[in-house]
């Protein structure tokens, strides 16, 4: 198998139903369905999805189960393990720190947890990866976006390689 590179993968949009179930147990999150088959409809946008806003609603459950440092680290590890199994040798994973603050985390703790998962996967699966921190669109979130930018600058070349809108 040829080595692969994945330069655009969203952590929050890449969790499988099985991942969500496992993360929900760890994070003590109640799910709208109990089986992977039943949960899939909450995680998969239809082909005729009418807008990016509607599309991103299918990330909500992934955000709900990644609200602790442990679940963020575990989610990153699971994603990179899966990518490695597919032959990916390098990936750039997008994460939106602002969407993981519902249980009291700070943006920097979100990034640090993701970096720990990244490092563990690198060690276990010989996959190299970096994070791209995504900003959010909205009214009155300039300060939060500036915080994301500050964290990206702090961790640049230490696991973060860029920012994204």
């Amino acid at each position: 198998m040829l080595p692969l590179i994945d330069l655009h993968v969203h952590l929050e949009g890449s969790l499988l139903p099985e991942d969500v179930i496992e993360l929900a147990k760890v994070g003590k999150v109640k799910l709208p369905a109990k089986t992977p088959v039943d949960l899939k409809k909450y995680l998969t946008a239809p082909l005729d999805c009418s807008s990016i806003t509607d599309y991103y609603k299918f990330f909500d459950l992934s955000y709900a189960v990644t609200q602790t440092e442990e679940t963020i680290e575990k989610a990153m590890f699971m994603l990179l393990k899966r990518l490695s199994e597919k032959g990916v040798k390098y990936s750039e994973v997008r994460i939106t720190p602002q969407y993981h603050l519902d249980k009291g985390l700070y943006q920097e703790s979100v990034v640090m947890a993701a970096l720990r998962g990244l490092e563990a996967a690198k060690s276990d699966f010989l996959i190299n990866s970096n994070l791209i921190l995504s900003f959010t669109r909205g009214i009155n979130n300039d300060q939060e976006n500036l915080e994301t930018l500050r964290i990206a600058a702090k961790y640049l070349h230490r696991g973060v390689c860029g920012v994204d809108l």
Side-chain angles (χ1 to χ4, degrees):
M1 176 185 324
L2 291 173
L4 302 173
I5 295 172
D6 192 336
L7 298 178
H8 193 122
V9 59
H10 291 258
L11 175 65
E12 300 94 343
S14 298
L15 298 179
L16 299 177
E18 296 83 2
D19 300 337
V20 170
I21 290 169
E22 185 174 339
L23 293 168
K25 287 177 188 172
V26 172
K28 297 178 176 70
V29 174
K30 185 173 172 154
L31 296 175
K34 295 184 191 248
T35 68
V37 171
D38 293 336
L39 199 57
K40 188 174 181 178
K41 70 180 176 184
Y42 296 96
L43 298 167
T44 308
L47 293 175
D48 63 348
C49 194
S50 61
S51 72
I52 194 73
T53 302
D54 289 342
Y55 176 80
Y56 280 128
K57 288 179 184 174
F58 290 90
F59 284 40
D60 288 348
L61 196 52
S62 294
Y63 293 132
V65 298
T66 52
Q67 293 293 322
T68 68
E69 290 184 43
E70 182 181 6
T71 55
I72 293 164
E73 182 176 341
K74 189 173 189 68
M76 181 64 69
F77 183 84
M78 290 189 297
L79 170 60
L80 293 176
K81 177 183 182 205
R82 196 165 42 255
L83 290 174
S84 175
E85 289 168 348
K86 292 180 178 182
V88 174
K89 298 299 180 192
Y90 177 75
S91 68
E92 292 179 353
V93 180
R94 284 161 168 74
I95 184 170
T96 309
Q98 294 175 50
Y99 289 155
H100 300 274
L101 309 179
D102 292 347
K103 291 189 178 178
L105 292 180
Y106 296 98
Q107 286 193 56
E108 188 165 3
S109 58
V110 170
V111 172
M112 291 171 59
L115 289 172
R116 284 193 301 275
L118 186 148
E119 285 301 314
K122 180 179 181 179
S123 174
D124 286 4
F125 308 116
L126 302 175
I127 183 171
N128 287 311
S129 189
N130 282 295
L131 297 179
I132 295 176
L133 306 186
S134 295
F135 301 124
T136 61
R137 297 175 191 210
I139 299 171
N140 299 323
N141 68 334
D142 291 346
Q143 291 305 312
E144 291 85 355
N145 284 336
L146 286 172
E147 176 68 5
T148 304
L149 183 61
R150 185 192 69 72
I151 294 164
K154 180 176 180 178
Y155 290 92
L156 188 62
H157 305 298
R158 295 175 32 203
V160 173
C161 67
V163 293
D164 184 28
L165 175 62

